[in-house]
Amino acid sequence: MQQNTTDFIAKMAWETTKTHWKDFMILPTAVGAMVCLLMCLVFLGGASPAKSFIAFLLYIAWIVFLVAFAGALAKWCSDLYNGAKKLDIQEGLRYGLSRFWGTLGTSLLTAIKIVLWSLLLVIPGLYKAVMYSKSTRVSQLEKISGGDANRISQKMISSAGFMRTLGNYCAISLVSTLFFYLFALAAALVSGGFGLASETLGGIVFILALVVGGMVLNIFILVYGTYEYLIYRDENKAELTALMKTLASMK
């Protein structure tokens, strides 16, 4: 398998997901379950303005966790890519939390820019979506946020190839979609067996299977995107380093 192809990056991402699925899944599952439980407890007995405010705070806390965890995941992938054998979970979470505002601000700015470009007959929005696709990774791993992250992402994609990046995205999206539908079919067959004993049990098994499958798929896509970014960065290290120095000198 030729290095740096879509297959190579996907295989590397899948091996990482299989090897470290506990590190990547247990914590978000536990936090998500806790948030859902607290939400149920909050609205037990009916809704009220005070309860709605508490629910809003819980939702904000969940968003903060997701952004921090995504940053931690990027850090863990970077460590593994650079040869680490074990993951430091606490250090990764601290790092992800330290990049919260930079990552959130970059993501919002990027989304706004893409929406505005999409107003020009959609195609410019698609082009910019690909060109800015590494902006969040830049913010997470290079500690560069906002418009500078967009500029670095655009330079990276220009050097690596627009069609190459778009092709990678289409291939991974297609394979991931097919995987999810096949997994859902298998889950339906298994839950159908449980459903012969109890329809409720069959429904619970099906929902749990879909949740687990969706989580694995989302983590795989995040890991793939990070490895693709790291490979692009290595391929064009000199140009990107020069651009980062130029941007830093302008501040």
Side-chain angles (χ1 to χ4, degrees):
M1 185 179 297
Q2 186 179 356
Q3 192 171 6
N4 296 358
T5 62
T6 309
D7 289 346
F8 174 80
I9 304 172
K11 181 179 180 181
M12 185 165 54
W14 181 243
E15 289 299 323
T16 297
T17 303
K18 285 196 305 179
T19 303
H20 298 282
W21 68 270
K22 292 181 181 179
D23 300 319
F24 295 163
M25 289 184 62
I26 290 179
L27 183 60
T29 300
V31 174
M34 183 176 66
V35 170
C36 289
L37 177 60
L38 290 174
M39 285 283 195
C40 292
L41 292 175
V42 165
F43 287 109
L44 191 64
S48 69
K51 290 183 177 181
S52 298
F53 180 70
I54 294 174
F56 173 75
L57 293 179
L58 287 172
Y59 178 74
I60 294 299
W62 175 239
I63 296 299
V64 171
F65 170 79
L66 289 179
V67 174
F69 186 80
L73 185 64
K75 176 69 165 56
W76 293 327
C77 289
S78 178
D79 291 342
L80 292 170
Y81 181 79
N82 290 319
K85 300 301 181 183
K86 292 184 178 181
L87 300 180
D88 190 325
I89 303 301
Q90 292 184 351
E91 179 188 359
L93 290 173
R94 284 195 297 267
Y95 180 87
L97 188 60
S98 72
R99 293 302 307 150
F100 173 79
W101 289 113
T103 301
L104 182 64
T106 300
S107 299
L108 292 175
L109 177 63
T110 302
I112 291 171
K113 285 184 175 181
I114 292 172
V115 169
L116 293 176
W117 278 104
S118 297
L119 297 178
L120 302 176
L121 301 179
V122 178
I123 294 178
L126 173 61
Y127 174 77
K128 286 297 183 180
V130 175
M131 299 302 287
Y132 290 161
S133 61
K134 301 304 176 187
S135 299
T136 300
R137 297 305 191 296
V138 172
S139 181
Q140 290 169 333
L141 296 176
E142 312 303 334
K143 299 181 180 180
I144 298 173
S145 305
D148 287 348
N150 294 151
R151 295 181 188 95
I152 293 171
S153 174
Q154 188 161 270
K155 177 63 177 178
M156 180 179 290
I157 302 302
S158 295
S159 299
F162 173 85
M163 293 305 299
R164 173 190 179 188
T165 305
L166 181 60
N168 286 351
Y169 175 78
C170 291
I172 291 299
S173 297
L174 177 61
V175 171
S176 298
T177 301
L178 290 175
F179 168 82
F180 184 77
Y181 280 124
L182 290 174
F183 183 85
L185 177 60
L189 293 175
V190 172
S191 63
F194 286 96
L196 295 176
S198 169
E199 290 186 6
T200 301
L201 178 61
I204 292 174
V205 170
F206 181 68
I207 292 173
L208 288 177
L210 287 186
V211 170
V212 172
M215 286 184 64
V216 171
L217 190 59
N218 284 331
I219 288 173
F220 165 74
I221 291 173
L222 288 172
V223 172
Y224 175 89
T226 303
Y227 280 149
E228 184 182 58
Y229 167 81
L230 293 169
I231 286 174
Y232 281 10
R233 186 182 67 179
D234 284 353
E235 288 177 351
N236 305 282
K237 195 168 187 177
E239 294 180 11
L240 293 172
T241 299
L243 176 57
M244 291 179 191
K245 288 182 179 179
T246 300
L247 293 174
S249 67
M250 294 172 61
K251 294 182 179 179

